[in-house]
Amino acid sequence: MPPYRPIIAIPGSEITPESAYLQRRDILRLGAAGGLALASPSLAFGATDLPAKPGGYDPQEQATPEADATSYNNFYEFGTGKADPAAKSGDFKPLPWTLTVDGLAGKPATFDLDQLMAFELEERIYRMRCVEGWSMVIPWIGFPLSALLDRVEPLASAKYVAFETVVRPEEMPGQRGAFQPLPWPYVEGLRLDEARHPLTILSLGMYGKTLPNQNGAPVRLVVPWKYGFKGIKSIVRITLTEEQPVTTWNRSAPGEYGFYANVNPEVDHPRWSQATENRVGGGGFFGSNDRPTLMFNGYDEVAGLYAGMDLKANY
Ligand SMILES: Nc1nc2c(c(=O)[nH]1)N[C@H]1C(S)=C(S)[C@@H](COP(=O)(O)O)O[C@H]1N2
Ligand SMILES: [Mo]
């Protein structure tokens, strides 16, 4: 039996009445246009409820408590500690925002946040497995990346998709100062067929609300069968390319992090095993909440993308 099933219904309490949503969207749009002086655009953004039609996958597991998913994070632009993104992202302004989609496309385009929110949003409850050995279950709100790619009409020569995070040292403390843990911008990439797989989403929210800064506001990638570092946050550019794009962790430590980064309990990280994972939250002490890691994080339907490939060599 697969470790998840389609969602049949989401509880009514999680669904925002359309009128309330439209009002909030108006507030967002005014803020984005600069016509309304919001005291704190990021706060206003984070507080916004998002509607979603059920369309995702329920791993038959409890969602990670929201308080854990929003306080134990990796987002090196705000610092390398797990508590840094929540503690040090208060100056980050996800409004106004634009996401440019360019490269090998017939109709390259730039989307503002309203245009992204106008895509058909769904809730997807996905497992998230960090390469460091912890995991969560997160109810994302977003839409398939393929819908965005369709809009720009990829050329036949496009084989890969490159992603880029914003660079704003004045708002992101991890991007200034003497110690720079990574070269900026943070970049990621997928093969075009991976990017077009229906499980791959651009997320605009989680737990029924827009994304908090620490989780990648206002728009981040979620590819549930890959290690968490593929889920690039606060994306400003998506570029269709012919060549395999450079990716941040692969460039920084090629012996430790591959381009594919498919969750695979049989391929250990050089410095630790990937056979098990610790589910964050749930009350247990660290180590008491371990469970086996599943191939492709349990999302077996992606196996066909890698037919004929040696997944130990292509990690
Ligand atoms: N721009 C950017 N995106 C990023 C990261 C980062 O440091 N910078 N960290 C990655 C890693 S290693 C993980 S595990 C996930 C964590 O997502 P979460 O904090 O929302 O759970 O974000 C990924 N996306
Ligand atoms: Mo990670």
Side-chain angles (χ1 to χ4, degrees):
M1 193 167 111
Y4 54 81
R5 59 182 163 75
I7 292 172
I8 303 160
I10 48 178
S13 62
E14 290 178 19
I15 299 169
T16 308
E18 193 179 21
S19 55
Y21 169 62
L22 290 175
Q23 276 171 21
R24 291 192 178 90
R25 258 187 26 155
D26 284 346
I27 292 169
L28 280 179
R29 201 182 57 244
L30 285 168
L36 191 71
L38 291 173
S40 171
S42 60
L43 267 184
F45 187 81
T48 302
D49 292 345
L50 283 178
K53 81 175 168 66
Y57 298 87
D58 176 355
Q60 296 180 310
E61 296 172 85
Q62 283 291 110
T64 299
E66 184 178 357
D68 292 311
T70 56
S71 64
Y72 189 85
N73 299 100
N74 272 337
F75 201 166
Y76 278 24
E77 285 85 338
F78 295 112
T80 56
K82 303 290 175 232
D84 287 339
K88 300 180 179 174
S89 62
D91 289 338
F92 182 67
K93 294 174 190 62
L95 282 172
W97 197 262
T98 57
L99 167 58
T100 296
V101 189
D102 61 7
L104 299 172
K107 291 187 176 165
T110 295
F111 300 84
D112 67 20
L113 206 50
D114 272 349
Q115 290 170 311
L116 295 176
M117 288 204 181
F119 281 84
E120 199 163 340
L121 303 181
E122 300 172 9
E123 182 169 73
R124 302 283 187 96
I125 303 175
Y126 281 161
R127 288 196 200 87
M128 203 280 272
R129 171 48 158 96
C130 177
V131 74
E132 294 167 78
W134 45 273
S135 64
M136 299 190 189
V137 176
I138 298 183
W140 300 107
I141 293 172
F143 61 90
L145 176 60
S146 62
L148 185 79
L149 295 175
D150 286 346
R151 292 278 183 92
V152 302
E153 299 180 6
L155 303 180
S157 52
K159 299 286 183 282
Y160 293 90
V161 186
F163 304 83
E164 193 180 306
T165 292
V166 73
V167 179
R168 287 189 193 166
E170 62 288 355
E171 295 177 21
M172 302 176 122
Q175 289 185 333
R176 51 182 197 251
F179 174 66
Q180 295 291 304
L182 294 171
W184 314 114
Y186 192 103
V187 288
E188 257 305 333
L190 295 172
R191 228 170 48 194
L192 184 57
D193 58 345
E194 298 179 312
R196 281 190 169 292
H197 192 280
L199 286 174
T200 302
I201 60 169
L202 281 183
S203 172
L204 298 167
M206 58 197 287
Y207 298 89
K209 290 165 279 186
T210 48
L211 288 173
N213 289 347
Q214 60 268 33
N215 293 88
V219 56
R220 57 98 50 89
L221 180 70
V222 181
V223 193
W225 71 93
K226 293 179 180 283
Y227 289 114
F229 67 84
K230 299 295 284 186
I232 182 172
K233 298 175 170 182
S234 304
I235 304 169
V236 288
R237 184 175 297 272
I238 296 178
T239 305
L240 288 147
T241 66
E242 189 159 10
E243 306 295 331
Q244 181 176 301
V246 170
T247 61
T248 289
W249 284 101
N250 182 236
R251 171 173 54 190
S252 296
E256 303 190 11
Y257 310 101
F259 174 80
Y260 282 94
N262 291 319
V263 174
N264 188 340
E266 289 164 21
V267 177
D268 287 337
H269 185 280
R271 292 182 279 133
W272 59 81
S273 163
Q274 294 292 29
T276 62
E277 63 199 60
N278 186 271
R279 184 60 50 84
V280 174
F285 290 105
F286 200 84
S288 69
N289 210 11
D290 282 2
R291 61 193 70 213
T293 284
L294 303 172
M295 186 66 199
F296 299 124
N297 209 19
Y299 300 94
D300 300 318
E301 67 262 55
V302 302
L305 293 172
Y306 310 103
M309 279 177 67
D310 177 355
L311 292 178
K312 289 194 171 153
N314 296 287
Y315 57 86

